[in-house]
Amino acid sequence: MSVDVDKNKTEAIKGLDENRMMIESSQPRIFWDIGTAYDLFVSLHVLHNPTDFGLRPSWAAGVRSRLSNQERKTLEDITEIMIAIPFRWIYALSEPKDSASILWALRKMPADKRLSVLINIDEKDKEILERLQQVAENKSWDDEDLTFVRTRMLEWKHGRKKAKHAEKILESWANANEFGEKVLDALDSYYESFFAEEERHIFPALKDAYDAAREMADKILFPDLFERLSRGVKVSELFNTPEIVLIPSYWSSPLIFFGDIAQNKKAVLFGARPDDVSLVPGEIVPDTLLRVLKAIGDPTRLRILRYLTKEELTQAELARRLRLRAPTLTHHLRSLRLAGLVYLKVESQREQLYAARLEAIRGMYDSLKNFLT
């Protein structure tokens, strides 16, 4: 009997080793980048969508109010029409990748070319870029252009939100020279009135997160590294990308931003803001603690967590059990994800599984105790 037990144990260990070798062989090649230039654009996205990031809308409005009406309108427009953070362009810039470098680079290029570098359209969607460039040459657009751009965007995984701004996108390209000048002026004013001081404040945190992530990468496999850096996201499809660039971001915390740098190279911005620090200067209660307390202060979200501590469930399964409409459940799950209380496992474009992130729930007790004492 002992011989059989030893044999089974040996085979089990061999199976684990083989499984680990398979995982290691499929690991993407990891690259690293750092720079406040990424946060320049992330901060604009957050300030124009504050509730999506758990930020107080009144404070975000206060920052935006430092600009003129025209500058506010331009930054709102560019935030809406940007397909993604301009990863490809920023990544190709020389160091230091800060706001001054971005503004200098924009100033050096013709005004009508600035939109091309800011919208970050993937190579596989170059037909849209070609159509937009044709609109810029014609200085006008028609219903055929609108239908084409809107339809193509609806085909994207996250394009539906941008599709509703298709007219604004086309209008900006039809007036590319004028809009390019307005964008540079607005970014200059935003930098001078707010972000210049902000980037001096956030860079030490970016560097700390950058160093910590690189050290962690030497000790654990990429799926585990990504799960920790993203605070609970597991994306199978991402791991099929041969090369991934990891970039710390202060303003994206606790969420992540994806983007394409090349055909087989993706960029991932991961949260770099410490859990005990608030995005709003002078705020006493840390953002992370406040988001968790708000999330669990709702009976529906507590019921969701109760289900998710027992098993992984899709959004549809949760909706049936809770008898909730899809938009309502999406709102609650987003609050839990923002608080870092759930795992999000993306199996495909259409299937997402949720599970309770128990270590984050336990960590909440410690954070509350530390804050109170």
Side-chain angles (χ1 to χ4, degrees):
M1 178 67 71
S2 61
V3 174
D4 291 338
V5 170
D6 290 341
K7 181 180 179 182
N8 291 338
K9 187 183 294 184
T10 300
E11 290 178 350
I13 293 172
K14 182 181 178 182
L16 288 172
D17 288 342
E18 289 176 349
N19 186 51
R20 183 178 180 85
M21 288 174 64
M22 286 179 61
I23 294 175
E24 288 178 343
S25 65
S26 64
Q27 296 294 288
R29 187 180 178 192
I30 301 177
F31 296 82
W32 301 88
D33 200 20
I34 185 171
T36 52
Y38 296 101
D39 271 293
L40 174 69
F41 293 100
V42 174
S43 66
L44 289 174
H45 185 79
V46 175
L47 289 171
H48 286 90
N49 303 275
T51 55
D52 289 349
F53 295 85
L55 180 63
R56 194 165 67 243
S58 59
W59 184 79
V63 174
R64 298 197 305 270
S65 70
R66 302 180 189 188
L67 307 173
S68 69
N69 290 337
Q70 178 60 63
E71 290 163 347
R72 287 201 300 273
K73 177 67 166 58
T74 300
L75 290 183
E76 180 182 340
D77 287 346
I78 193 64
T79 302
E80 288 178 347
I81 70 175
M82 280 173 60
I83 308 304
I85 305 301
F87 290 108
R88 189 180 297 111
W89 178 53
I90 299 175
Y91 186 69
L93 292 175
S94 301
E95 296 182 358
K97 298 178 182 181
D98 56 12
S99 301
S101 300
I102 288 290
L103 296 172
W104 181 86
L106 285 174
R107 196 170 291 111
K108 287 293 183 181
M109 69 177 64
D112 61 347
K113 303 300 182 185
R114 289 168 188 158
L115 276 172
S116 297
V117 300
L118 291 178
I119 62 172
N120 204 69
I121 290 180
D122 187 9
E123 290 180 358
K124 66 177 179 292
D125 297 305
K126 63 181 180 181
E127 288 181 11
I128 285 188
L129 183 57
E130 290 172 356
R131 179 65 68 104
L132 292 175
Q133 289 170 340
Q134 188 62 51
V135 167
E137 287 182 22
N138 296 337
K139 301 186 187 307
S140 64
W141 57 275
D142 54 26
D143 289 342
E144 184 182 341
D145 294 320
L146 178 61
T147 301
F148 176 85
V149 171
R150 185 177 286 159
T151 301
R152 289 303 301 271
M153 285 185 172
L154 288 173
E155 295 171 357
W156 297 350
K157 184 176 180 180
H158 300 295
R160 186 169 297 276
K161 199 170 184 180
K162 294 298 178 183
K164 68 180 182 179
H165 299 303
E167 288 188 35
K168 186 174 290 187
I169 291 172
L170 287 164
E171 193 62 29
S172 65
W173 279 84
N175 299 279
N177 192 72
E178 179 185 355
F179 191 73
E181 293 289 7
K182 288 180 179 179
V183 167
L184 180 58
D185 290 343
L187 287 174
D188 271 330
S189 294
Y190 175 64
Y191 172 70
E192 292 171 4
S193 65
F194 175 72
F195 201 76
E197 178 61 32
E198 180 68 6
E199 72 177 346
R200 287 191 289 270
H201 163 68
I202 70 176
F203 185 75
L206 295 180
K207 186 65 169 62
D208 288 345
Y210 176 87
D211 292 339
R214 295 200 67 163
E215 182 178 347
M216 198 187 307
D218 291 334
K219 300 176 182 177
I220 59 178
L221 295 175
F222 181 77
D224 298 324
L225 174 68
F226 184 81
E227 183 182 311
R228 292 192 192 184
L229 295 180
S230 66
R231 291 172 169 84
V233 178
K234 304 176 182 179
V235 187
S236 300
E237 291 180 353
L238 181 69
F239 306 149
N240 295 328
T241 302
E243 299 179 345
I244 292 179
V245 183
L246 295 174
I247 310 161
S249 169
Y250 191 91
W251 274 75
S252 69
S253 297
L255 304 180
I256 54 176
F257 280 75
F258 291 93
D260 291 300
I261 288 177
Q263 187 174 0
N264 293 311
K265 198 170 195 173
K266 279 191 178 297
V268 177
L269 286 181
F270 63 89
R273 190 166 72 250
D275 288 342
D276 60 349
V277 174
S278 173
L279 189 58
V280 180
E283 195 76 15
I284 297 175
V285 182
D287 289 340
T288 302
L289 177 60
L290 195 57
R291 285 194 296 265
V292 171
L293 293 177
K294 284 182 177 179
I296 64 174
D298 182 278
T300 299
R301 290 197 278 270
L302 283 175
R303 289 173 63 204
I304 292 173
L305 281 175
R306 189 176 184 184
Y307 279 122
L308 295 181
T309 56
K310 298 174 183 177
E311 58 181 321
E312 293 182 343
L313 294 170
T314 66
Q315 187 166 335
E317 290 169 336
L318 277 169
R320 285 195 295 271
R321 297 190 187 193
L322 293 162
R323 297 181 181 179
L324 290 176
R325 294 173 60 248
T328 302
L329 182 58
T330 297
H331 165 72
H332 287 304
L333 287 172
R334 184 168 184 83
S335 294
L336 291 170
R337 167 72 189 121
L338 195 61
L341 296 177
V342 293
Y343 285 108
L344 171 57
K345 189 176 182 180
V346 183
E347 295 289 349
S348 66
Q349 283 191 320
R350 297 187 179 276
E351 187 176 21
Q352 297 182 349
L353 289 169
Y354 290 87
R357 196 164 172 244
L358 297 177
E359 67 271 24
I361 297 173
R362 288 190 291 267
M364 181 269 294
Y365 298 129
D366 294 333
S367 297
L368 181 59
K369 181 180 177 181
N370 291 337
F371 174 75
L372 293 176
T373 56

